[in-house]
Each structure stands twice: as C-alpha cells, then as structure tokens.
Amino acid sequence: MSALPLLRAPDDHRPNGRPLVVVDVDEVVLAFVGPFSRFLEERGFRLHPRSYALGGNVTRAGGVEAVAGEVVQRLIADFFVAAVDDQPPVEGAIAALERLGAVADPVLLTNVPEAQAERRAAHLGALGLTAPMIANAGAKGPALARLTARARAVGGDDLPAVFIDDGPTQLASARGAVADLRLVQFVADPIWFALAPEIPGVWLRTRTWVEVEAAIAPLAGARRVGGAIAGAGTAS
C-alpha cells in the first residue's frame, strides 16, 4: 500500500498551518510529453510541437493534418490506462517536494482520470512522495479556492499559497479563483517550455525544481531545506 494519501476532495485535506504549495503532476512532477510522444508513435501517430496544446498537434504518422479533437482525447485516455504508473519523475521533483514538506504543506492536484487515480497515487508513493493527492476534473480554480481557504483558516489570512502548473488555462483559472496566489508556470520539457505562452501575473516561470525550491523556501522563513539552497530565487 502506498504511503501517499489519496484524498477524495479538497475538504479532506488537513492543513498544517505552513505555506500551502499545490502542485500539478503531469509535466511538473512526472514526465508527460516524452512518454506520450512515444505512446503515440507506437500507435501510428505523432506529436508535433507547433503550439502549446495537444489538440491540433497530433497527426497520423507521415501526415500533416491534425486528427480530430475527440481522437486526441481518446488517445490521452488510452495513454493513462497504459502508462499512468510508468511515467518517470521530472528531474529533482521528488527530492524537492519531500524537502519542502518539512517547511510547507504540499498537495498534489492532478487531472488524472478517476479510474487511474489509485494507480497514480501508488506510483508516486513508490517514487518516494508522501504529500497527499487529489484527483481533479476540469478547472482547478474551485479546488484551489477550497484548499486555500482551509489553509488560511488555520495559518492566517496572510498565509502564502503557491500553485505550480504547466497549463495556461489552469493558471488562469487559479488566478481568478484565489487572491494573493503565487503562480508558478512549470514545464519540464524544454521544447514545450519554449512554446508555452507567458501568463500575466506569474510569480515564477521555470522548468527546474532547483528554482522552485529556492523561491518557495523563504516563504516558510527558511533558506535551507534539507541542505544548502543557492540564493533565495528570482521570485518576488
């Protein structure tokens, strides 16, 4: 049994009064672009990095015309069935989140299909994570609002809250749902990071967990999280 708790809803989280750090999983904690690209190629499709989206960028092998959106959604669903417990971790993610867990309150908020939520939680636990996970559907703003409200009820109205995600739509949803939320735009894959549009109001834009950890640690009143951190990060 995994040591990683799988929560049914944001209200099941028990905040500890430390800064809240809500973290997406795909392309933030676990690699997605590379495994999904290989999955597509094995099934006669290709992922073309032409814009920051999956829809419109999947073609049949040897073709240039994008397949229909419903085909892409089916392929994504099939990918999670086949590989949700086989995605490798993003470099530095597991160790950084575990160190931050000593001074902050990390929560994983992922839009994994509900049918694969337990497998994802088990996989993350096997990799060494202990932070709780919530399987979300759709926009993450409502879940973030509940998590932040509960955290600030314990830690005070000025408790720092951070949201880390790769998706522009989810970052915008979060920005509209929670006041004073520090947004971190994180895309591990270098090609897709370059394609990602810059989001207004983002606190930190990065593809390395070294930068994330260095930025978050001072919020908890600590410049050392399990070891030396080079500087306090570029975020302000």
Side-chain angles (χ1 to χ4, degrees), residues 5-14 114 118 132-136:
L6 177 58
L7 307 182
R8 292 178 299 174
D11 285 351
D12 290 335
H13 178 55
R14 299 293 180 262
E114 185 178 359
E118 289 189 4
M133 188 191 98
I134 300 170
N136 185 70

Side-chain angles (χ1 to χ4, degrees), residues 175-211:
R175 183 184 57 209
V178 182
D180 302 323
L181 183 64
R182 290 171 167 86
L183 301 177
V184 177
Q185 185 178 19
F186 189 108
V187 186
D189 185 87
I191 295 175
W192 289 84
F193 177 76
L195 286 172
E198 295 192 15
I199 309 301
V202 162
W203 181 60
L204 175 66
R205 176 181 160 90
T206 184
R207 52 178 299 270
T208 74
W209 273 94
V210 171
E211 292 187 339

Side-chain angles (χ1 to χ4, degrees), residues 33-57:
V33 170
F36 185 58
S37 294
R38 290 188 290 274
F39 173 85
L40 291 177
E41 290 172 2
E42 291 169 358
R43 284 152 180 80
F45 296 88
R46 286 196 62 194
L47 179 62
H48 296 271
R50 298 180 288 203
S51 63
Y52 194 81
L54 295 179
N57 287 317

Side-chain angles (χ1 to χ4, degrees), residues 97-190:
L97 280 168
E98 286 302 288
R99 286 192 295 267
L100 286 171
V103 295
D105 187 12
V107 180
L108 304 172
L109 184 64
T110 173
N111 274 18
V112 67
E114 185 178 359
Q116 279 75 54
E118 289 189 4
R119 290 172 59 200
R120 166 153 287 180
H123 179 49
L124 291 168
L127 290 172
L129 277 181
T130 57
M133 188 191 98
I134 300 170
N136 185 70
K140 294 180 179 177
L144 279 160
R146 290 300 302 155
L147 287 167
T148 305
R150 291 174 59 81
R152 288 177 173 168
V154 173
D157 292 342
D158 60 348
L159 184 76
V162 179
F163 176 52
I164 307 171
D165 203 291
D166 67 313
T169 300
Q170 296 294 5
L171 290 165
S173 172
R175 183 184 57 209
V178 182
D180 302 323
L181 183 64
R182 290 171 167 86
L183 301 177
V184 177
Q185 185 178 19
F186 189 108
V187 186
D189 185 87

Side-chain angles (χ1 to χ4, degrees), residues 15-113:
N16 58 20
R18 297 170 180 167
L20 178 68
V21 181
V22 183
V23 187
D24 180 31
V25 173
D26 288 300
E27 208 54 36
V28 177
V29 178
L30 298 178
F32 176 83
V33 170
F36 185 58
S37 294
R38 290 188 290 274
F39 173 85
L40 291 177
E41 290 172 2
E42 291 169 358
R43 284 152 180 80
F45 296 88
R46 286 196 62 194
L47 179 62
H48 296 271
R50 298 180 288 203
S51 63
Y52 194 81
L54 295 179
N57 287 317
V58 175
T59 69
R60 297 193 180 276
V64 295
E65 184 176 348
V67 300
E70 56 266 28
V71 175
V72 176
Q73 291 305 310
R74 187 181 72 245
L75 287 167
I76 294 171
D78 290 347
F79 168 77
F80 282 123
V81 171
V84 73
D85 43 17
D86 196 37
Q87 293 172 253
V90 168
E91 183 178 359
I94 306 300
L97 280 168
E98 286 302 288
R99 286 192 295 267
L100 286 171
V103 295
D105 187 12
V107 180
L108 304 172
L109 184 64
T110 173
N111 274 18
V112 67

